[in-house]
Amino acid sequence: MTTINSSFGQNIKTTILQNVRRAGKKLLPPLIAVVFALLVCGVLIFILGYNPINTYLALFDGALATPSAIGTTIIKSLPLLIGGLAVTIAYRAQIFNIGVEGQILMGGVFATLVGTSVVGLPAIVHIPLTLLAGMFGGMLWSFIPGWLKAMRGINEVIITLLMNYIAVLLLSWAVRGPLRLQGQEYAKTANILSSAELPILIPQLRLHPGIFIALILLVAGYWFLWHTVTGFNIRFVGANPRAAEASGINVKRTMLTAMLISGSLAGLAGAIHLLGSEHRMLESYLTGYGYDSIATALVGQLHPFGVLVAGFFFGGLRAGSNSMQVLEGIPVTLIYIIQALIILFILSSNFIRFGKHWVKQEREQDIEQHPLPPSNGVGDNHA
């Protein structure tokens, strides 16, 4: 009995060490990339005639120095957390969802429509209904590129990018037309009804339940990808579509499913920001957050828990950018240079460390180390 317990404990210890090594292998490249990106950016700041140390201190002050700054960081991080998860799920099925930007906007538009026009409902009904409307808007906007990719093999990058521009134009039309609040100099929608607003839990931080929704979604996203049959199918299709099809998985349906889930999450990101923070839409609503979600997913190594760290990091950069501008006179566009350098260094570090076949090897190892969970069937055709 003692021998069995000793062997069991040794197996647990070995498993933990293997997981720690694997996590370290994944986390080390982005951490090094962030450090080098900040160093290079510091050199650029110095060349431009500013003090790098004071600049980064101003960035810290605007992101974490006060409760108000922390609250701003959290608010700006929420769309990135959920949007980054949306990009991650699509990418796991070999779909590069550039259209998160447009899907976030459509989620906001649909949520605004329900939040301003549906009256007489209690908050316990109106809030979920408005969030579902946002999810539907994002999913609807992801259906066309998802269907064209899965059924016709048309490049999703081109389609989603074009649909982003259409979404921007539709938002402008909605804000200036049917959803516009009359009598205002600037085009904006009416505020959503109070029954559709997410309650403020901590006034000093302006914290609302959206943060808990985002955290639950990230945990659920991890469980979905690594502990469900559908999640396994998505990862299998992303790792090797031909092998997945030979195993009985409906590749087309799996790819479309991943894209629809991705779009619904992006739409939810737009809706949560509306219900918890803005309460109305302008033409500049969440501009650039969809593209930043792609950066969040890449820096987070396309893993839900990595997205958690990267989302707060980029949210802090956005929150601290105004402080940099006010205190040091640094252009806000410098934040985008920092983001670009971070992504560049991360992609370069992955290539140098693992070689040109890194992505394929990582996916195949991922399938091997996270096998299909117990079920009655293997693929979509048999489940």
Side-chain angles (χ1 to χ4, degrees), residues 300-313:
Q301 300 289 281
L302 298 166
H303 191 286
F305 295 152
V307 168
L308 175 64
V309 178
F312 281 116
F313 176 74

Side-chain angles (χ1 to χ4, degrees), residues 57 77 212 220 236 330:
L57 287 176
S77 298
F212 301 109
F236 199 173
I330 301 291

Side-chain angles (χ1 to χ4, degrees), residues 106-338:
M106 287 299 100
V109 169
F110 275 68
T112 300
L113 181 62
V114 173
T116 57
S117 62
V118 179
V119 298
L121 295 179
I124 196 173
V125 176
H126 202 182
I127 291 175
L129 182 64
T130 308
L131 293 177
L132 286 173
M135 294 179 68
F136 176 76
M139 184 172 62
L140 182 66
W141 210 244
S142 68
F143 174 77
I144 294 177
W147 187 87
L148 290 175
K149 169 69 174 181
M151 303 303 175
R152 293 293 182 265
I154 298 176
N155 191 302
E156 75 279 10
V157 173
I158 298 174
I159 302 300
T160 51
L161 188 60
L162 292 175
M163 293 193 69
N164 284 344
Y165 291 107
I166 298 174
V168 170
L169 293 175
L170 283 177
L171 171 62
S172 178
W173 168 78
V175 170
R176 291 178 176 273
L179 297 180
R180 179 170 184 169
L181 178 63
Q182 301 299 322
Q184 297 293 318
E185 181 181 357
Y186 299 103
K188 65 177 182 179
T189 69
N191 281 16
I192 59 174
L193 300 174
S194 59
S195 58
E197 295 180 5
L198 291 172
I200 300 299
L201 304 178
I202 304 178
Q204 295 85 348
L205 300 177
R206 293 172 294 163
L207 189 68
H208 56 77
I211 180 61
F212 301 109
I213 297 175
L215 295 177
I216 291 171
L217 284 174
L218 289 170
V219 174
Y222 169 78
W223 181 264
F224 169 75
L225 285 172
W226 278 278
H227 295 281
T228 67
V229 174
T230 303
F232 173 85
N233 292 341
I234 289 174
R235 291 186 293 116
F236 199 173
V237 168
N240 195 326
R242 292 185 179 180
E245 188 172 11
S247 300
I249 295 175
N250 189 323
V251 173
K252 294 181 178 179
R253 186 167 64 187
T254 301
M255 294 179 73
L256 181 58
T257 299
M259 189 62 171
L260 292 178
I261 293 174
S262 178
S264 64
L265 286 172
L268 181 62
I272 287 178
H273 188 74
L274 175 74
L275 272 61
S277 302
E278 294 293 334
H279 300 155
R280 83 280 187 274
M281 294 188 75
L282 303 172
E283 289 184 275
S284 59
Y285 184 77
L286 288 180
T287 300
Y289 272 84
Y291 298 114
D292 284 354
S293 295
I294 299 172
T296 299
L298 292 175
V299 173
Q301 300 289 281
L302 298 166
H303 191 286
F305 295 152
V307 168
L308 175 64
V309 178
F312 281 116
F313 176 74
F314 282 124
L317 288 180
R318 276 186 170 265
S321 61
N322 291 333
S323 179
M324 284 172 47
Q325 186 180 36
V326 172
L327 297 179
E328 296 297 322
I330 301 291
V332 178
T333 51
L334 184 64
I335 292 297
Y336 296 105
I337 297 177
I338 295 176

Side-chain angles (χ1 to χ4, degrees), residues 326-378:
V326 172
L327 297 179
E328 296 297 322
I330 301 291
V332 178
T333 51
L334 184 64
I335 292 297
Y336 296 105
I337 297 177
I338 295 176
Q339 291 180 355
L341 287 173
I342 290 173
I343 296 171
L344 178 62
F345 275 104
I346 285 177
L347 295 179
S348 300
S349 65
N350 287 333
F351 183 86
I352 294 171
R353 173 65 180 84
F354 302 112
K356 64 181 180 180
H357 299 299
W358 173 76
V359 174
K360 181 179 179 181
Q361 291 173 357
E362 282 291 295
R363 286 174 172 172
E364 291 175 351
Q365 291 175 7
D366 181 45
I367 295 296
E368 292 174 359
Q369 297 187 15
H370 298 88
L372 180 68
S375 67
N376 294 327
V378 175

